[in-house]
Amino acid sequence: MESSRRVGIVEISGKSGRVRTPGTETVTPFPDGFLWGAATAGHQVEGGNVNADLWPLEWAENSTFNEPSGDACDHYHRYPEDIAMLAELGFTAYRFSLEWSRIEPEPGYFSRAALDHYRRMMECCLNSGVTPVVTYNHFTLPRWMAGEGGWAADSSPERFGIYASRVTEHLGDVLSWVCTLNEPNLMAMLATTGVLAMGAGERQSAPGPPGTRSPGVGGFDPTRYRMGLIAADVERMAAVHRSAREAIGSVAPHVKVGWTLALIDLQPAPGGESRWKAARERGQTDWLTVSRDDDFVGVQTYSRSLIGPDGNVPPPEEVPTMQTRWEVYPEALGHTVRLAAEHAQVPVLVTENGMATDDDEARIAYTRRALEGLADCIDDGVDVRGYMHWTLLDNFEWNAGYSITFGLVSVDRETFARTVKPSARWLGQVASTNALE
Ligand code: BGC
């Protein structure tokens, strides 16, 4: 359908939405109210997250972590300057996560101080014209929850529902977007493709030999434990998600609720068609279908993976890769947004996309191409509500520690001083004009 809309001083017409300004530049506008943000996760930036399940794993003998998270970016204390910086750069949204282990450090005990802290963060966003997009769980669990068996414990849907309900009672009036779980399909992706979507660096997360350290606080043995995601099958994680969604809906029905999924762009290599089909189903589309009852689905993508008859086929030597050794493949964004829209049949929010590199020009080039693909989806009628870049700050990249840099802003590891990279200014400009030039 032909349409015509005005963006700034430029008249846009035609399905493509692309126009020539009076100069020669092509301008690609995004829909009114489109959210432009950057994303972080509590454990990766806050620092001192000592009650989380991963903390003892980071310090264990034979740890699979290259280094511990420690003080991270001290975002727990420095969030006012970080949010002010985000707003000044031109962003209109900030995706961050709540740390369950701070809010509920013992089962059933809720810390009012921690809840107040996150409330202040949200108010800080709103006072700066930034919409908070809040993730209730981004991988880390309280140690006691890990002790119960993490998500594999039969109590997990109820436990998460109680937490979600208490959090929403405290924050509901300032909330508008909630991601219940971050990438609950991550372990399914690993099982079906051998590819893990996190910057895992050299030491992929095989647990150390049993008995190398005494059992951790909270009754779980860090040497036998890997993330909170063990035994995370779609039925269990869907039950956990629904339990939170119902809790949120009954306390604050105005809040838009969804979950975010790890959507590596899976493609078949010669001979790998049946394996690819199975991987896509079990790792992605089975999970996307769960989103049909939600208000949106969060798409998180970085690269593609070719699936051959024996599993993941690593990119050939000559193909440019990121620090994580994933292929530089920004087309993944457009492809996976289409996949998500087709199977979830709800609006899409891009909740993570970015490039691990120390070459900031390459980050800009990658992001530009990814956004071009996203604009094409929108032109084709896909309902996309926003784009959150991963990530705001160079942060703790899980097993890889601080060596991998996805950030728009670098952080001095001694002083915590922030330095804005050109990519942050570039993307902030896109955000403030709501258009790609
Ligand atoms: C996770 C982030 C992570 C990013 C890059 C995603 O899987 O949600 O926490 O840092 O990928 O590795």
Side-chain angles (χ1 to χ4, degrees), residues 57-206:
L57 270 71
E58 292 162 17
W59 288 94
E61 248 174 77
N62 298 324
S63 174
T64 60
F65 288 80
N66 284 346
E67 56 188 318
S69 54
D71 284 333
C73 305
D74 193 27
H75 183 64
Y76 196 80
H77 300 106
R78 290 166 200 257
Y79 73 85
E81 64 176 273
D82 290 336
I83 293 169
M85 176 175 66
L86 193 78
E88 269 162 37
L89 285 165
F91 291 92
T92 56
Y94 179 37
R95 174 177 177 237
F96 62 93
S97 78
L98 312 179
E99 265 305 314
W100 187 359
S101 65
R102 292 186 194 270
I103 293 175
E104 193 180 359
E106 297 294 335
Y109 170 76
F110 289 89
S111 161
R112 178 161 282 276
L115 286 165
D116 282 347
H117 167 83
Y118 290 115
R119 190 176 176 89
R120 283 193 296 274
M121 273 185 85
M122 298 189 54
E123 286 170 351
C124 182
C125 287
L126 294 171
N127 291 337
S128 314
V130 168
T131 301
V133 176
V134 179
T135 307
Y136 276 21
N137 177 265
H138 195 120
F139 294 150
T140 39
L141 295 176
R143 292 194 197 191
W144 62 262
M145 176 73 187
E148 285 188 1
W151 299 121
D154 290 342
S155 55
S156 64
E158 194 191 346
R159 290 287 197 201
F160 193 58
I162 294 170
Y163 158 74
S165 164
R166 187 69 191 83
V167 164
T168 313
E169 278 163 20
H170 205 81
L171 305 177
D173 59 322
V174 279
L175 276 170
S176 49
W177 295 85
V178 168
C179 310
T180 56
L181 297 166
N182 183 70
E183 299 188 344
N185 66 326
L186 193 65
M187 285 298 146
M189 286 291 291
L190 179 64
T192 53
T193 66
V195 177
L196 196 60
M198 297 181 334
E202 283 293 317
R203 306 190 202 171
Q204 281 262 356
S205 45

Side-chain angles (χ1 to χ4, degrees), residues 65 71 105 167 184 192 198 240 290 325 336 361 429 434 437:
F65 288 80
D71 284 333
V167 164
T192 53
M198 297 181 334
V240 170
V290 174
R325 294 199 220 104
T336 54
E361 286 304 314
Q429 173 72 15
N434 198 29
E437 288 187 16

Side-chain angles (χ1 to χ4, degrees), residues 324-336:
T324 48
R325 294 199 220 104
W326 306 334
E327 182 180 347
V328 177
Y329 189 75
E331 293 76 13
L333 184 59
H335 297 171
T336 54

Side-chain angles (χ1 to χ4, degrees), residues 44 138 182-183 197-199 300 302 352 390 397-398 406:
Q44 294 180 270
H138 195 120
N182 183 70
E183 299 188 344
M198 297 181 334
Q300 314 206 148
Y302 295 87
E352 283 184 27
W390 185 267
E397 258 304 316
W398 308 110
F406 277 98

